[in-house]
Amino acid sequence: MRVTFATEAAPGRPNEDFVAATPDAIVLLDGAGTPAGSESGCVHGVAWYARSLGSNLIAGLAQDGKPLTEILAEGIKAVASLHDFVCDLTHPGSPSATVVMLRRTADTLDYLVLADSVLVLDTLDAAEPLVVCDDREALVGAAHRASMDALPSGSPEHTAAHRKYVETLRDHRNRDGGFWVAATDPLAAEQALAGTVPTSGVRSAALLSDGASRLVDRFHLATWRQALDVLTGSGPAELIRRVREAERSDPDGSRWPRGKTYDDATAAFWTFS
Ligand SMILES: [Zn+2]
């Protein structure tokens, strides 16, 4: 069993992704919710939120065998209690995060995916990997992003449109018919995609924040299989290097319209013997 990971902030910004591993578990989070100039009701910020929740979750995974949804619900509650006396947790822009959790037990792998980070399982019985991705935010967002995508990335107009886009999506956050993320409501945990597969049927697993998965799902410069090949042959840092190379080749988003020219990128890779 071997775990490797790499994480890289978007240039000039604090890293709002979080990744941690034990010999039997990995968590990966991608903090979200507060573009520059936007209110959140929280004095701590998105990076603090992702680190606090991620630390709580890896501790929960290390200590007991509860269902992953339960560990996540308890983690959301615990982090809320860290700042509900100083921050306004009813604010619609309260810091939030995607969550991917993976835990190995004696014979099985338990997984959980909430919001738009991606889990890729390379299974022995199928030619194509099993990709677990919660696309509800993308489906909601598709109806609201045309004006942002029409503007050149990096321009003041695009920055303003991105802020407006994020603020518009808040009306759909953690609501039925919208999309679900870890924020202040522990009920979000029940909305995660969770499952169990036999460990003996899995060759490897990749956990990717959307800043890393964009090589495949936004830029279409690799298939999931090819991304796994990069991770196997060269490791997570190489996958992120390829993402940055693609981003630099399209600084204004004309080829690949996107909210952020560069995004925090994190990749964790777990190989099973
Ligand atoms: Zn706070």
Side-chain angles (χ1 to χ4, degrees), residues 41-45 48 82-84 86-89 94-95:
C42 171
V43 300
H44 303 90
W48 173 88
L82 295 178
H83 65 149
D84 59 0
V86 276
C87 302
D88 174 14
L89 300 199
S94 198

Side-chain angles (χ1 to χ4, degrees), residues 6-45:
T7 183
E8 191 179 307
R13 293 177 38 84
N15 195 343
E16 295 174 343
D17 285 1
F18 177 88
V19 61
T22 72
D24 294 305
I26 309 183
V27 295
L28 180 148
L29 294 84
D30 176 357
T34 318
S38 204
E39 295 294 319
S40 76
C42 171
V43 300
H44 303 90

